[in-house]
């Protein structure tokens, strides 16, 4: 997952956390590929309307953008991240990768200069998600596309875990270690959304929601992966939420 786009104005402890090379910065290929296909359908071929500018905000190590690149041939793909460590890795995969943040001075792009924004597995890491979507809306042209992905708090297995009194997968109570839930990696999740909450939040931020789809989670145990893929047919139960919205 692309986790190293910083929270808006991160406190020192979070800044150190996101600059740690040991923090995972890539997600599973299934989510990235599904999201890239959604974006490719939305933009269409570059030859028909000329190249479009796509910003991958929170690009992490560039894996998601590199996955999307073959489907976006002819379009201009720019990786953006706050972490210098992540950018160093992203530049091995992307022709353009620049430093930028969603808080403070904002992104280094003019208003209305982007045709689309990839925002993959970033929202759940932000201290101020409202300001982040305001800044994304600023850099998008009217009608521009937002392709957002984030873990689903109400994933099918999280519903069962909560009934059993177990902390949901994706949720974290500490930046140092995992407590009360399955898994071992700490990745800095601060906020989690259900499908309904995500739709309402994005719409309230000045976007028109086009579609919401589901994607599987690469961390699901192998024996449960067929169920996880099946749950993608009902986004409210899926592991990962993939939302396509347009700037209103």
């Amino acid at each position: 997952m692309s986790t190293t786009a910083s929270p808006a104005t991160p406190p020192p402890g979070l800044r150190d956390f996101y600059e740690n090379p040991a923090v995972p910065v890539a997600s599973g290929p299934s989510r990235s590929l599904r999201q890239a296909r959604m974006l490719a359908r939305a933009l269409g071929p570059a030859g028909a309307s000329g190249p479009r500018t796509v910003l991958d905000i929170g690009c992490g190590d560039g894996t998601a953008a590199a996955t999307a690149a073959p489907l976006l041939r002819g379009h201009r793909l720019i990786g953006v991240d706050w972490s210098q460590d992540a950018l160093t890795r992203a530049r091995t995969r992307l022709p353009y990768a620049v430093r930028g943040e969603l808080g403070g001075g904002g992104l280094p792009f003019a208003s209305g200069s982007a045709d689309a924004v990839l925002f993959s597995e970033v929202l759940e890491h932000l201290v101020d998600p409202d300001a982040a979507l305001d800044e994304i809306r600023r850099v998008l042209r009217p009608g521009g596309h937002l392709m957002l992905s984030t873990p689903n708090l109400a994933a099918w297995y999280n519903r069962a875990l909560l009934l059993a009194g177990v902390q949901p997968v994706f949720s974290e109570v500490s930046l140092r270690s995992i407590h009360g839930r399955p898994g071992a990696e700490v990745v800095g999740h601060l906020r989690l959304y259900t499908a309904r909450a995500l739709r309402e939040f994005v719409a309230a931020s000045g976007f028109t929601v086009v579609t919401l789809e589901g994607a599987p989670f690469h961390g699901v145990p192998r024996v449960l992966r067929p169920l996880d893929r099946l749950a993608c047919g009902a986004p409210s139960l899926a592991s990962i939420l993939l939302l396509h919205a347009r700037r209103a």
Side-chain angles (χ1 to χ4, degrees):
M1 72 195 118
S2 304
T3 63
T4 53
S6 76
T9 317
L14 281 176
R15 286 200 298 268
D16 293 341
F17 177 83
Y18 287 115
E19 285 289 6
N20 182 352
V23 174
V25 293
S27 187
S30 179
R31 186 271 301 158
S32 298
L33 188 57
R34 287 176 185 233
Q35 192 174 34
R37 286 170 176 162
M38 290 172 67
L39 179 56
R41 289 195 300 268
L43 289 180
S49 54
R52 303 293 182 90
T53 298
V54 179
L55 306 180
D56 182 4
I57 297 176
C59 66
D61 64 1
T63 299
T67 299
L71 301 178
L72 301 174
R73 295 190 188 281
H75 295 302
R76 187 182 301 107
L77 188 57
I78 303 172
V80 185
D81 208 287
W82 173 85
S83 166
Q84 293 287 13
D85 175 76
L87 286 173
T88 297
R89 287 181 273 176
R91 286 171 182 142
T92 66
R93 295 181 171 95
L94 303 174
Y96 307 105
V98 300
R99 193 174 191 274
E101 59 180 300
L102 291 164
L107 298 168
F109 302 99
S111 298
S113 59
D115 298 287
V117 164
L118 277 170
F119 203 45
S120 304
E121 318 293 297
V122 179
L123 192 64
E124 63 272 18
H125 299 268
L126 300 179
V127 172
D128 189 349
D130 302 275
L133 285 198
D134 286 347
E135 181 63 2
I136 288 174
R137 189 174 185 277
R138 180 189 70 80
V139 300
L140 276 174
R141 63 169 175 80
H145 303 276
L146 169 62
M147 297 290 174
L148 184 157
S149 69
T150 192
N152 183 10
L153 174 61
W156 61 276
Y157 41 81
N158 278 345
R159 299 183 186 214
L161 290 173
L162 277 170
L163 284 174
V166 178
Q167 188 81 9
V169 174
F170 308 123
S171 66
E172 295 179 340
V173 300
S174 169
L175 290 178
R176 297 177 180 175
S177 58
I178 293 298
H179 302 286
R181 71 156 173 84
E185 287 185 335
V186 179
V187 293
H189 289 177
L190 303 179
R191 299 178 183 274
L192 290 176
Y193 298 78
T194 64
R196 178 176 178 177
L198 185 64
R199 281 180 176 274
E200 291 183 4
F201 172 61
V202 171
S205 300
F207 293 86
T208 299
V209 176
V210 178
T211 186
L212 181 67
E213 299 182 14
F217 175 47
H218 64 282
V220 168
R222 186 176 299 276
V223 68
L224 296 177
R225 289 179 187 176
L227 282 176
D228 197 40
R229 289 193 294 269
L230 185 64
C232 292
S236 63
L237 296 174
S239 287
I240 305 296
L241 300 172
L242 303 179
L243 182 139
H244 172 204
R246 301 193 72 169
R247 179 187 162 181

Coordinates of all heavy atoms in Angstrom, one line a residue, residues 40-92:
A40 N -8.1 3.8 -16.4 CA -7.9 3.7 -17.9 C -9.3 3.8 -18.6 O -9.4 4.5 -19.6 CB -7.2 2.4 -18.2
R41 N -10.3 3.2 -18.0 CA -11.6 3.4 -18.6 C -12.1 4.8 -18.6 O -12.8 5.3 -19.5 CB -12.6 2.4 -17.9 CG -12.4 0.9 -18.2 CD -13.7 0.1 -17.8 NE -14.0 0.3 -16.4 CZ -13.5 -0.6 -15.4 NH1 -12.7 -1.6 -15.8 NH2 -13.8 -0.4 -14.2
A42 N -11.9 5.4 -17.4 CA -12.3 6.8 -17.3 C -11.6 7.8 -18.2 O -12.3 8.7 -18.8 CB -12.1 7.2 -15.8
L43 N -10.3 7.6 -18.4 CA -9.6 8.6 -19.2 C -9.7 8.3 -20.7 O -9.6 9.2 -21.5 CB -8.1 8.5 -18.8 CG -7.7 9.1 -17.4 CD1 -6.2 9.0 -17.2 CD2 -8.1 10.6 -17.3
G44 N -9.8 7.0 -21.0 CA -9.8 6.7 -22.5 C -8.3 6.7 -23.0 O -7.4 7.2 -22.3
P45 N -8.2 6.3 -24.3 CA -6.8 6.3 -24.9 C -6.3 7.7 -25.1 O -7.1 8.7 -25.3 CB -7.0 5.6 -26.2 CG -8.5 5.8 -26.5 CD -9.2 5.8 -25.2
A46 N -5.0 7.9 -24.9 CA -4.4 9.2 -25.1 C -4.5 9.8 -26.5 O -4.6 11.0 -26.7 CB -2.9 9.1 -24.7
G47 N -4.6 8.9 -27.5 CA -4.7 9.4 -28.9 C -5.9 10.1 -29.2 O -6.0 11.0 -30.0
A48 N -7.0 9.8 -28.5 CA -8.3 10.4 -28.8 C -8.4 11.8 -28.3 O -9.1 12.6 -28.9 CB -9.4 9.5 -28.2
S49 N -7.8 12.1 -27.2 CA -8.0 13.4 -26.6 C -6.7 14.1 -26.1 O -6.7 15.1 -25.5 CB -8.9 13.3 -25.4 OG -8.4 12.4 -24.5
G50 N -5.5 13.4 -26.5 CA -4.2 14.0 -26.1 C -3.9 13.4 -24.7 O -4.7 12.9 -24.0
P51 N -2.6 13.6 -24.3 CA -2.2 13.1 -23.0 C -2.9 13.8 -21.9 O -3.1 15.0 -21.9 CB -0.7 13.3 -23.0 CG -0.5 14.5 -24.0 CD -1.5 14.3 -25.0
R52 N -3.2 13.1 -20.8 CA -3.8 13.6 -19.6 C -2.7 13.5 -18.5 O -1.9 12.7 -18.5 CB -5.0 12.9 -19.2 CG -6.1 12.8 -20.3 CD -6.7 14.2 -20.5 NE -7.8 14.2 -21.5 CZ -9.0 14.0 -21.2 NH1 -9.4 13.8 -20.0 NH2 -9.9 14.0 -22.2
T53 N -2.8 14.4 -17.5 CA -1.9 14.5 -16.4 C -2.5 13.7 -15.2 O -3.6 14.1 -14.8 CB -1.5 15.9 -16.0 OG1 -0.9 16.5 -17.0 CG2 -0.6 15.9 -14.7
V54 N -1.8 12.7 -14.8 CA -2.3 11.8 -13.7 C -1.3 12.0 -12.5 O -0.1 11.7 -12.7 CB -2.4 10.4 -14.1 CG1 -2.9 9.5 -12.9 CG2 -3.4 10.2 -15.3
L55 N -1.8 12.4 -11.3 CA -0.9 12.5 -10.2 C -1.2 11.3 -9.3 O -2.3 11.0 -8.9 CB -1.2 13.7 -9.4 CG -1.2 15.1 -10.1 CD1 -1.5 16.2 -9.2 CD2 0.2 15.3 -10.8
D56 N -0.1 10.5 -8.9 CA -0.3 9.5 -7.9 C 0.2 10.0 -6.6 O 1.4 10.1 -6.3 CB 0.6 8.3 -8.3 CG 0.4 7.1 -7.3 OD1 -0.4 7.2 -6.4 OD2 1.1 6.1 -7.5
I57 N -0.8 10.5 -5.8 CA -0.5 11.2 -4.6 C -0.4 10.2 -3.5 O -1.3 9.4 -3.2 CB -1.6 12.3 -4.2 CG1 -1.6 13.3 -5.3 CG2 -1.3 12.9 -2.9 CD1 -2.7 14.4 -5.2
G58 N 0.8 10.2 -2.8 CA 1.1 9.1 -1.9 C 1.6 7.9 -2.6 O 1.2 6.8 -2.4
C59 N 2.5 8.1 -3.6 CA 3.0 7.1 -4.5 C 3.8 6.0 -3.8 O 4.0 4.9 -4.4 CB 3.7 7.7 -5.7 SG 5.3 8.4 -5.2
G60 N 4.3 6.3 -2.6 CA 5.1 5.3 -1.9 C 6.3 4.9 -2.8 O 7.0 5.8 -3.3
D61 N 6.6 3.6 -2.9 CA 7.7 3.2 -3.7 C 7.5 3.2 -5.2 O 8.3 2.7 -6.0 CB 8.2 1.8 -3.2 CG 7.2 0.7 -3.4 OD1 6.2 1.0 -4.0 OD2 7.5 -0.4 -3.0
G62 N 6.3 3.6 -5.6 CA 6.0 3.7 -7.1 C 5.4 2.5 -7.6 O 5.1 2.4 -8.8
T63 N 5.1 1.4 -6.8 CA 4.6 0.2 -7.3 C 3.2 0.3 -8.0 O 3.0 -0.2 -9.1 CB 4.5 -0.8 -6.2 OG1 5.8 -1.1 -5.6 CG2 3.9 -2.2 -6.7
A64 N 2.3 1.1 -7.3 CA 1.0 1.2 -7.9 C 1.0 2.0 -9.2 O 0.3 1.6 -10.2 CB 0.1 1.9 -6.9
A65 N 1.8 3.0 -9.3 CA 1.9 3.8 -10.5 C 2.5 3.0 -11.6 O 2.1 3.0 -12.8 CB 2.7 5.1 -10.3
A66 N 3.5 2.2 -11.3 CA 4.2 1.3 -12.3 C 3.2 0.3 -12.8 O 3.3 -0.1 -14.0 CB 5.4 0.7 -11.6
T67 N 2.3 -0.2 -11.9 CA 1.3 -1.2 -12.3 C 0.4 -0.5 -13.3 O -0.1 -1.1 -14.3 CB 0.6 -1.7 -11.1 OG1 1.5 -2.4 -10.3 CG2 -0.5 -2.7 -11.5
A68 N 0.0 0.7 -13.0 CA -0.9 1.5 -13.9 C -0.3 1.9 -15.2 O -1.1 2.0 -16.2 CB -1.5 2.7 -13.1
A69 N 0.9 2.1 -15.3 CA 1.6 2.7 -16.4 C 1.3 2.0 -17.8 O 1.0 2.7 -18.7 CB 3.1 2.8 -16.2
P70 N 1.3 0.7 -17.8 CA 1.1 0.1 -19.1 C -0.4 0.3 -19.6 O -0.6 0.2 -20.8 CB 1.3 -1.4 -18.8 CG 2.2 -1.5 -17.7 CD 1.8 -0.3 -16.8
L71 N -1.3 0.6 -18.7 CA -2.7 0.8 -19.1 C -2.9 2.3 -19.4 O -4.0 2.6 -19.9 CB -3.6 0.4 -18.0 CG -3.6 -1.1 -17.6 CD1 -4.5 -1.4 -16.4 CD2 -3.9 -2.0 -18.7
L72 N -2.0 3.1 -19.1 CA -2.1 4.6 -19.3 C -1.1 5.1 -20.3 O -0.6 6.3 -20.1 CB -2.0 5.3 -17.9 CG -2.9 4.9 -16.8 CD1 -2.6 5.5 -15.5 CD2 -4.4 5.2 -17.2
R73 N -0.7 4.3 -21.2 CA 0.3 4.7 -22.2 C -0.1 6.0 -22.9 O -1.3 6.1 -23.3 CB 0.5 3.6 -23.2 CG 1.2 2.4 -22.6 CD 1.6 1.4 -23.7 NE 2.0 0.1 -23.1 CZ 3.2 -0.1 -22.6 NH1 4.1 0.9 -22.5 NH2 3.5 -1.3 -22.1
G74 N 0.8 6.9 -23.0 CA 0.5 8.2 -23.7 C 0.1 9.3 -22.7 O 0.2 10.5 -23.0
H75 N -0.3 8.9 -21.5 CA -0.7 9.9 -20.5 C 0.5 10.2 -19.6 O 1.5 9.4 -19.5 CB -1.8 9.3 -19.6 CG -3.1 9.1 -20.4 ND1 -3.7 10.2 -21.0 CD2 -3.9 8.0 -20.6 CE1 -4.8 9.7 -21.6 NE2 -4.9 8.4 -21.3
R76 N 0.5 11.3 -19.0 CA 1.6 11.8 -18.1 C 1.4 11.4 -16.7 O 0.5 11.9 -16.0 CB 1.8 13.3 -18.3 CG 3.0 13.9 -17.6 CD 3.0 15.4 -17.7 NE 3.0 15.8 -19.1 CZ 1.9 16.3 -19.7 NH1 0.8 16.5 -19.1 NH2 2.0 16.7 -21.0
L77 N 2.2 10.5 -16.1 CA 2.0 10.0 -14.8 C 3.1 10.5 -13.9 O 4.3 10.3 -14.1 CB 2.1 8.4 -14.8 CG 1.7 7.7 -13.6 CD1 0.3 8.0 -13.1 CD2 1.8 6.2 -13.8
I78 N 2.7 11.2 -12.8 CA 3.7 11.8 -11.9 C 3.4 11.3 -10.5 O 2.3 11.4 -10.0 CB 3.5 13.4 -11.9 CG1 3.7 13.9 -13.3 CG2 4.5 14.0 -10.9 CD1 3.4 15.4 -13.4
G79 N 4.5 10.7 -9.9 CA 4.4 10.3 -8.5 C 4.6 11.4 -7.5 O 5.5 12.3 -7.8
V80 N 3.9 11.5 -6.5 CA 4.0 12.5 -5.4 C 4.1 11.9 -4.1 O 3.2 11.0 -3.8 CB 2.9 13.5 -5.5 CG1 3.1 14.7 -4.5 CG2 2.7 14.1 -6.9
D81 N 5.0 12.2 -3.2 CA 5.1 11.7 -1.9 C 5.8 12.7 -1.0 O 6.6 13.5 -1.4 CB 5.8 10.3 -1.9 CG 5.3 9.4 -0.7 OD1 5.6 9.7 0.5 OD2 4.5 8.5 -1.0
W82 N 5.5 12.5 0.3 CA 6.2 13.4 1.3 C 7.5 12.8 1.8 O 8.4 13.5 2.1 CB 5.2 13.5 2.5 CG 5.8 14.2 3.7 CD1 5.8 15.5 3.9 CD2 6.3 13.6 4.8 NE1 6.4 15.8 5.1 CE2 6.7 14.6 5.7 CE3 6.6 12.2 5.2 CZ2 7.3 14.3 7.0 CZ3 7.2 12.0 6.4 CH2 7.5 13.0 7.3
S83 N 7.6 11.5 1.8 CA 8.8 10.8 2.3 C 9.9 10.8 1.3 O 9.8 10.3 0.2 CB 8.4 9.3 2.7 OG 9.6 8.6 2.9
Q84 N 11.1 11.3 1.7 CA 12.2 11.2 0.8 C 12.7 9.8 0.5 O 13.1 9.5 -0.6 CB 13.4 12.1 1.4 CG 13.1 13.6 1.5 CD 13.2 14.3 0.1 OE1 13.2 13.6 -0.9 NE2 13.2 15.6 0.2
D85 N 12.6 9.0 1.5 CA 13.0 7.6 1.3 C 12.1 6.9 0.3 O 12.6 6.2 -0.6 CB 12.8 6.8 2.7 CG 13.1 5.3 2.5 OD1 14.3 4.9 2.3 OD2 12.2 4.5 2.5
A86 N 10.8 7.1 0.4 CA 9.9 6.6 -0.6 C 10.1 7.1 -2.0 O 10.1 6.4 -3.0 CB 8.4 6.9 -0.2
L87 N 10.4 8.4 -2.1 CA 10.7 9.0 -3.4 C 12.0 8.4 -4.1 O 12.0 8.2 -5.3 CB 10.8 10.5 -3.3 CG 9.5 11.3 -3.1 CD1 9.9 12.8 -2.8 CD2 8.6 11.2 -4.3
T88 N 13.0 8.1 -3.3 CA 14.2 7.5 -3.8 C 13.9 6.2 -4.5 O 14.4 5.9 -5.5 CB 15.2 7.3 -2.6 OG1 15.6 8.6 -2.1 CG2 16.4 6.6 -3.2
R89 N 13.0 5.4 -3.8 CA 12.6 4.1 -4.4 C 11.7 4.3 -5.6 O 11.8 3.6 -6.6 CB 11.9 3.3 -3.4 CG 12.9 2.7 -2.4 CD 12.3 1.8 -1.3 NE 11.8 2.6 -0.2 CZ 11.1 2.1 0.8 NH1 10.8 0.8 0.8 NH2 10.7 2.8 1.8
A90 N 10.8 5.3 -5.5 CA 9.8 5.5 -6.6 C 10.5 5.9 -7.9 O 10.1 5.6 -9.0 CB 8.8 6.6 -6.2
R91 N 11.6 6.7 -7.8 CA 12.3 7.2 -9.0 C 13.0 6.0 -9.8 O 13.4 6.3 -10.9 CB 13.3 8.2 -8.6 CG 12.6 9.5 -8.2 CD 13.5 10.6 -7.6 NE 12.8 11.8 -7.2 CZ 13.0 12.5 -6.2 NH1 14.0 12.2 -5.3 NH2 12.3 13.6 -5.9
T92 N 13.1 4.9 -9.2 CA 13.6 3.7 -9.9 C 12.5 3.1 -10.8 O 12.8 2.3 -11.7 CB 14.1 2.6 -9.0 OG1 13.1 2.1 -8.2 CG2 15.2 3.2 -8.0

